[in-house]
Amino acid sequence: LQFNNAKLKEQLDQLEPDNSRQEEERKADHEMSTKYQQTEVQCSSLKNDIDVARKDEQIDDLQTQCLNLQNKLMAEAFRTKELEGAIDFVEKEKAALETQIQHLKADLK
């Protein structure tokens, strides 16, 4: 029995380094897995940040385009008002000239 016990103890001693090496490998695998998951989360977060930045940039571009269109519209509205004023002026001048023509025709008769 003592001989068997000694043999078993010897085998156990031989297995212990294997066990501790396997345990270290398991720990290293777990650490790598954890680091990989953390990296994936960080990568996903960065992708979201990039998407948000792109959307912010697109919003800024669209706001600029909108302001440019508003400025063009206001310029067109101003020109339209100027033209309406010019048309009114021409119509009044035309009416005044027609009145003068009527008076001149009446004076000729």
Side-chain angles (χ1 to χ4, degrees):
L1 268 175
Q2 284 182 343
F3 177 75
N4 280 344
N5 276 347
K7 275 274 196 205
L8 287 173
K9 185 163 174 61
E10 185 180 312
Q11 288 176 347
L12 184 62
D13 288 346
Q14 288 174 355
L15 289 176
E16 272 186 26
D18 268 357
N19 284 344
S20 66
R21 186 174 47 85
Q22 287 176 348
E23 183 62 30
E24 286 176 18
E25 287 176 0
R26 267 187 250 134
K27 284 181 184 177
D29 286 348
H30 179 72
E31 285 176 19
M32 287 301 290
S33 176
T34 300
K35 285 180 182 178
Y36 178 80
Q37 288 172 351
Q38 289 171 343
T39 302
E40 284 291 312
V41 168
Q42 289 172 339
C43 186
S44 177
S45 177
L46 287 173
K47 285 178 183 177
N48 288 338
D49 290 348
I50 289 169
D51 288 344
V52 167
R54 283 186 182 144
K55 287 176 184 169
D56 285 346
E57 193 174 294
Q58 289 173 345
I59 288 170
D60 289 346
D61 288 346
L62 290 173
Q63 286 175 333
T64 301
Q65 290 176 15
C66 183
L67 286 173
N68 289 339
L69 287 174
Q70 285 176 331
N71 289 337
K72 286 180 182 179
L73 181 61
M74 288 174 61
E76 286 297 319
F78 182 73
R79 275 187 241 134
T80 301
K81 281 287 186 192
E82 285 181 328
L83 290 174
E84 287 173 352
I87 291 169
D88 286 346
F89 176 77
V90 169
E91 286 177 348
K92 288 178 186 174
E93 288 294 311
K94 178 184 169 189
L97 289 173
E98 285 175 350
T99 302
Q100 284 181 353
I101 291 171
Q102 295 287 335
H103 287 312
L104 289 172
K105 282 182 179 179
D107 287 347
L108 287 175
K109 289 185 183 180

